[in-house]
């Protein structure tokens, strides 16, 4: 393999004595830096509403319903793959997302600007998002929604979804929190 894995080994006794920094809390105890979470529900029950309320709480360091605010304000990239821009604007204003550091990568803007749609099923699209996340730097990525952003990928078919799963893991290693709707 060409990898010197022996230098990466940690004994259990050494691990027990290591001072490992705690991950930053983004929202209460359940959403921390580098976590991966999924919001799943039937159509029309408000997934996008919760998906847009989360960045408000995360980017403004505010409580959301019963969940306590995290430790600090966290910049969020919200990738919208299907909602009309007009509705995104209306909800963004209604939720006061402009008061925090929330940035949109919207499918309508992408199509108008580049003449294409985003597809995280394609390696070069995943790489472009990763580069954007690192360059800005955004610390939380919300993908709304998986069905519209992963064209040609069967979510329940392992070999189709595997590259996306590996990408999520890479983002988590970079301490980016990923929320998938």
């Amino acid at each position: 393999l060409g990898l010197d894995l022996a230098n990466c080994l940690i004994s259990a006794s050494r691990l027990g004595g290591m001072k490992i920094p705690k991950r930053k809390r983004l929202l209460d105890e359940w959403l921390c830096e580098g976590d991966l979470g999924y919001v799943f529900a039937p159509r029309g029950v408000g997934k996008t509403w919760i998906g847009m309320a989360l960045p408000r709480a995360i980017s403004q360091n505010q409580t959301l319903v019963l969940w306590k605010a995290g430790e600090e304000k966290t910049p969020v990239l919200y990738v919208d793959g299907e909602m009309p821009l007009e509705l995104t604007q209306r909800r963004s204003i209604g939720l006061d997302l402009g008061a925090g550091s929330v940035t949109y990568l919207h499918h309508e803007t992408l199509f108008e600007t580049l003449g294409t749609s985003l597809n995280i099923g394609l390696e070069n699209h995943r790489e472009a998002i990763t580069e954007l996340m690192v360059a800005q730097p955004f610390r939380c990525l919300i993908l709304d929604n998986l069905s519209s952003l992963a064209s040609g990928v069967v979510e329940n078919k392992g070999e189709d979804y595997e590259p996306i799963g590996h990408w999520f893991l890479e983002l988590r290693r970079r301490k980016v929190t990923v929320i998938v709707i």
Side-chain angles (χ1 to χ4, degrees):
L1 289 174
L3 299 174
D4 188 3
L5 298 179
N7 290 328
C8 301
L9 298 174
I10 303 170
S11 68
S13 61
R14 182 171 160 228
L15 178 62
M18 290 174 64
K19 294 200 186 283
I20 301 171
K22 290 185 81 171
R23 295 179 304 139
K24 293 179 184 138
R25 291 181 305 108
L26 274 61
L27 192 59
D28 216 315
E29 297 294 327
W30 65 269
L31 186 63
C32 295
E33 179 181 71
D35 277 352
L36 170 62
Y38 291 85
V39 176
F40 176 79
R43 182 178 173 87
V45 298
K47 293 180 300 293
T48 295
W49 278 109
I50 190 69
M52 291 183 80
L54 284 168
R56 180 178 193 266
I58 294 166
S59 72
Q60 297 177 33
N61 198 31
Q62 294 184 351
T63 298
L64 177 60
V65 190
L66 300 175
W67 300 316
K68 297 176 196 166
E71 296 172 13
E72 61 187 40
K73 296 178 180 181
T74 302
V76 177
L77 177 62
Y78 194 100
V79 180
D80 190 304
E82 89 176 329
M83 193 160 64
L85 188 57
E86 174 192 7
L87 291 179
T88 301
Q89 179 190 44
R90 192 177 324 153
R91 290 180 183 190
S92 184
I93 291 169
L95 289 166
D96 194 26
L97 294 180
S101 52
V102 177
T103 303
Y104 293 97
L105 179 57
H106 198 277
H107 71 99
E108 286 186 19
T109 306
L110 185 67
F111 190 78
E112 289 171 9
T113 305
L114 301 177
T116 191
S117 298
L118 195 60
N119 182 357
I120 63 170
L122 302 174
E123 183 178 3
N124 63 326
H125 288 209
R126 293 189 302 270
E127 288 172 354
I129 294 172
T130 300
E131 289 172 15
L132 190 61
M133 296 296 296
V134 171
Q136 290 300 315
F138 296 110
R139 303 309 314 149
C140 180
L141 172 65
I142 299 180
L143 299 168
D144 187 3
N145 66 39
L146 186 59
S147 297
S148 61
L149 291 170
S151 182
V153 174
V154 179
E155 297 169 35
N156 294 331
K157 193 173 177 185
E159 63 229 24
D160 280 2
Y161 191 75
E162 187 175 337
I164 295 171
H166 284 291
W167 176 55
F168 291 157
L169 188 55
E170 176 193 336
L171 290 171
R172 292 180 64 205
R173 288 178 182 130
R174 293 176 181 268
K175 300 186 183 333
V176 171
T177 301
V178 179
I179 300 170
V180 181
I181 312 249

